[in-house]
Amino acid sequence: MSQVKLTLFGAGHVGTALATVLAGHGRFAVQVVDGSDDALDRLQGLGLPLTLRHLAPGEEAHRLIEGQDIVVAAVPDQAVARVAEAALLVKAHYLDFIPTPRAARHSLDALAGHRAVLTGCGVSPGLIGVLACGLLKDFAPVSDLVIRVGAIPRHPTNRLGYGQIWNVDGLIEEYTRPSAAIRDGAAVELTPLEEYERLTFDGIGYEAFVTAGGLADLDALAGFTPRNVTVKTLRYPGHLDYMRFLLDDLGLRHRRDLLRTLLSNGLPLIEDDVLHVVLTARGQRGRQQAERTLRYRFAPNAAYGPFNALTSVATGYAASLLTLLADGALPDRGRIAPHHLDAARLLDSPFIAPLRRD
């Protein structure tokens, strides 16, 4: 079987993790493109079978990807539109890790008429949408769905019970932007850090509260007609009180530069984390009210390199989708929504199964 030609834009943390996974698989001939020589040099130092290309300022990105089968964007949000446009020009399949930015919508909508387009393919958004749809398929009809997801240190060492597990800017956005939700069948926006709840699993206490960015597209759940849908972040008890102190009592909600500096300099880097996904569906079974909760737990695997659980699961999910696409197990054109994917098959994929601890 011939190798699939894949270009990965971005040699940052996520891009490096995905390149590491794909280079060790053998199904793909991987080319990595980045505008930073330092980032490319670090990637070259890993000794992986990759082709590395430098993208100069103002250079036309599509000229570097002529003849490629798949294009992946692992770049900052503001650079996604440039990669999407390049993928459209060469008519390559496309995957990224974030909800579609407005600037990229035209290119990706046009590309979907020719090739497969997969967006928001991380953990949240990403895998949790597939798991939610899988639960709803088995539990219909559903009145309420609560999705809780959180990557936290396995051994917390501070009162916040947290550390630098992913992008600090993304964390601030998650805690301060409105959260997409469904109430009484209608799409709404909820205030972040509200709807607090306490949970206990295996004798360990957690707390959960509303945050933004969990689902890329609530329309993916529309076919299951849940009356209420809520997305929350899972943390250790006490985390929310300290974050409210920073955001509200100290007024850092309106001084993000200071908040970012504080978190970046004060929180430790976390490699030994645990990623929890907890989904609860409620509905009627005949005349009886019924409820079902599914819990998944993921931890790092040294065989995947020096990456924490959140990064490993995100790139493992993306690698699983790319393999399915390369093998012809996904449609070869159109936007691929979460409800089109098989949750059990993805969880058992060789990129995700070694990370599971549930």
Side-chain angles (χ1 to χ4, degrees), residues 46-351:
L46 299 179
L48 300 171
L50 303 168
T51 300
L52 305 180
R53 303 285 297 275
H54 179 265
L55 179 63
E59 184 177 2
E60 294 181 331
H62 73 274
R63 297 191 181 280
L64 299 180
I65 58 174
E66 295 286 353
Q68 295 291 293
D69 301 305
I70 303 174
V71 168
V72 177
V75 296
D77 294 5
Q78 63 270 21
V80 167
R82 185 182 183 188
V83 178
E85 181 181 13
L88 172 62
L89 290 174
V90 302
K91 298 296 188 296
H93 299 302
Y94 174 89
L95 180 145
D96 67 26
F97 293 88
I98 66 170
T100 304
R102 181 173 300 177
R105 288 176 186 171
H106 174 76
S107 294
L108 294 182
D109 287 344
L111 179 60
H114 305 276
R115 296 289 185 268
V117 173
L118 298 106
T119 59
C121 299
V123 171
S124 175
L127 180 60
I128 65 166
V130 179
L131 298 178
C133 289
L135 174 58
L136 294 179
K137 288 176 183 177
D138 293 338
F139 198 77
V142 171
S143 59
D144 300 277
L145 173 66
V146 181
I147 302 169
R148 309 170 191 89
V149 58
I152 53 181
R154 192 156 69 98
H155 303 292
T157 59
N158 55 52
R159 296 182 185 183
L160 200 60
Y162 200 63
Q164 293 190 56
I165 295 175
W166 68 300
N167 181 274
V168 170
D169 290 316
L171 179 71
I172 295 172
E173 287 288 304
E174 182 181 277
Y175 282 18
T176 56
R177 287 192 297 112
S179 173
I182 296 175
R183 289 292 182 269
D184 294 324
V188 300
E189 290 187 336
L190 302 180
T191 302
L193 311 186
E194 300 297 333
E195 300 198 18
Y196 177 86
E197 65 175 331
R198 295 287 297 267
L199 307 97
T200 301
F201 300 112
D202 300 329
I204 301 175
Y206 304 94
E207 63 183 21
F209 47 88
V210 167
T211 51
L215 288 177
D217 188 2
L218 287 173
D219 291 342
L221 304 176
F224 304 102
T225 62
R227 191 171 72 244
N228 300 295
V229 176
T230 308
V231 182
K232 298 183 177 185
T233 280
L234 197 71
R235 296 288 187 257
Y236 289 118
H239 178 92
L240 180 57
D241 279 343
Y242 284 107
M243 287 306 304
R244 282 178 169 164
F245 172 75
L246 294 173
L247 291 168
D248 299 326
D249 295 355
L250 296 186
L252 296 184
R253 181 185 302 274
H254 308 294
R255 292 298 308 274
R256 296 195 182 190
D257 55 335
L258 292 180
L259 180 59
R260 185 184 189 284
T261 299
L262 178 67
L263 296 177
S264 297
N265 293 332
L267 292 178
L269 292 172
I270 303 296
E271 295 181 353
D272 190 10
D273 62 332
V274 180
L275 172 63
H276 296 273
V277 179
V278 184
L279 307 101
T280 299
R282 302 182 186 92
Q284 290 290 130
R285 291 281 176 86
R287 296 184 178 182
Q288 183 70 38
Q289 182 77 11
E291 177 177 301
R292 184 180 182 191
T293 294
L294 296 179
R295 181 167 68 103
Y296 303 93
R297 187 163 60 95
F298 305 89
N301 188 317
Y304 281 24
F307 305 106
N308 64 25
L310 183 63
T311 300
S312 297
V313 174
T315 53
Y317 173 59
S320 300
L321 294 177
L322 292 169
T323 302
L324 291 173
L325 183 61
D327 292 342
L330 293 180
D332 63 359
R333 67 180 61 191
R335 286 185 174 268
I336 313 299
H339 63 275
H340 293 145
L341 302 171
D342 186 330
R345 183 175 186 179
L346 287 167
L347 288 172
D348 289 338
S349 81
F351 303 106

